[in-house]
Amino acid sequence: MLGEFEYLLLSAASRLGATAYGVSIRREIEHATGRACSLGALYTTIDRLAEKGVLTNWMGEGTA
Protein backbone atom coordinates (compact mmCIF):
# COMPACT_ATOMS: atom_id res chain seq x y z
CA MET A 1 0.00 0.00 0.00
CA LEU A 2 1.27 3.47 -0.88
CA GLY A 3 0.83 6.67 1.06
CA GLU A 4 -0.27 9.96 -0.46
CA PHE A 5 3.23 11.37 -0.78
CA GLU A 6 4.54 8.14 -2.34
CA TYR A 7 1.73 8.27 -4.89
CA LEU A 8 2.49 11.92 -5.67
CA LEU A 9 6.18 11.13 -6.11
CA LEU A 10 5.51 8.19 -8.43
CA SER A 11 3.04 10.24 -10.46
CA ALA A 12 5.53 13.08 -10.82
CA ALA A 13 8.35 10.70 -11.80
CA SER A 14 6.11 9.04 -14.36
CA ARG A 15 5.11 12.36 -15.92
CA LEU A 16 8.73 13.53 -16.07
CA GLY A 17 10.11 10.31 -17.56
CA ALA A 18 13.82 10.57 -18.37
CA THR A 19 14.02 14.01 -16.75
CA ALA A 20 12.82 12.69 -13.36
CA TYR A 21 15.60 13.96 -11.11
CA GLY A 22 15.12 14.89 -7.46
CA VAL A 23 14.79 18.62 -8.04
CA SER A 24 12.43 18.24 -11.01
CA ILE A 25 10.26 15.77 -9.08
CA ARG A 26 10.16 18.20 -6.15
CA ARG A 27 9.11 21.04 -8.45
CA GLU A 28 6.39 18.89 -10.02
CA ILE A 29 4.98 17.89 -6.61
CA GLU A 30 4.99 21.48 -5.38
CA HIS A 31 3.25 22.64 -8.55
CA ALA A 32 0.59 19.91 -8.31
CA THR A 33 -0.14 20.35 -4.61
CA GLY A 34 0.62 24.01 -3.94
CA ARG A 35 2.62 22.86 -0.88
CA ALA A 36 6.34 22.96 -0.11
CA CYS A 37 8.26 19.70 -0.38
CA SER A 38 11.55 19.24 1.47
CA LEU A 39 14.39 17.46 -0.29
CA GLY A 40 14.90 15.31 2.81
CA ALA A 41 11.34 13.98 2.62
CA LEU A 42 11.68 13.49 -1.12
CA TYR A 43 14.91 11.47 -1.01
CA THR A 44 13.75 9.44 2.01
CA THR A 45 10.62 8.49 0.08
CA ILE A 46 12.61 7.69 -3.06
CA ASP A 47 14.81 5.34 -1.00
CA ARG A 48 11.75 3.71 0.60
CA LEU A 49 10.11 3.14 -2.80
CA ALA A 50 13.36 1.69 -4.16
CA GLU A 51 13.50 -0.72 -1.19
CA LYS A 52 9.93 -1.79 -1.98
CA GLY A 53 10.99 -2.45 -5.59
CA VAL A 54 8.52 0.09 -6.96
CA LEU A 55 11.15 2.49 -8.26
CA THR A 56 14.78 2.38 -9.36
CA ASN A 57 17.17 5.17 -8.42
CA TRP A 58 20.86 5.93 -8.84
CA MET A 59 23.36 8.65 -8.05
CA GLY A 60 24.80 10.37 -11.10
CA GLU A 61 27.73 12.66 -11.62
CA GLY A 62 27.49 16.19 -10.26
CA THR A 63 26.55 18.96 -12.67
CA ALA A 64 28.10 22.37 -12.97
Side-chain angles (χ1 to χ4, degrees):
M1 186 166 164
L2 297 177
E4 178 186 0
F5 189 68
E6 292 171 323
Y7 179 75
L8 286 168
L9 192 151
L10 287 173
S11 296
S14 178
R15 279 192 303 274
L16 291 166
T19 61
Y21 297 94
V23 173
S24 61
I25 293 171
R26 177 186 184 192
R27 190 176 319 129
E28 188 74 16
I29 290 171
E30 289 179 340
H31 181 263
T33 64
R35 296 183 289 179
C37 170
S38 76
L39 284 176
L42 181 79
Y43 285 112
T44 298
T45 304
I46 288 172
D47 288 343
R48 185 170 53 249
L49 289 170
E51 287 175 11
K52 290 180 179 181
V54 178
L55 166 64
T56 302
N57 65 334
W58 70 93
M59 292 292 288
E61 296 291 321
T63 57

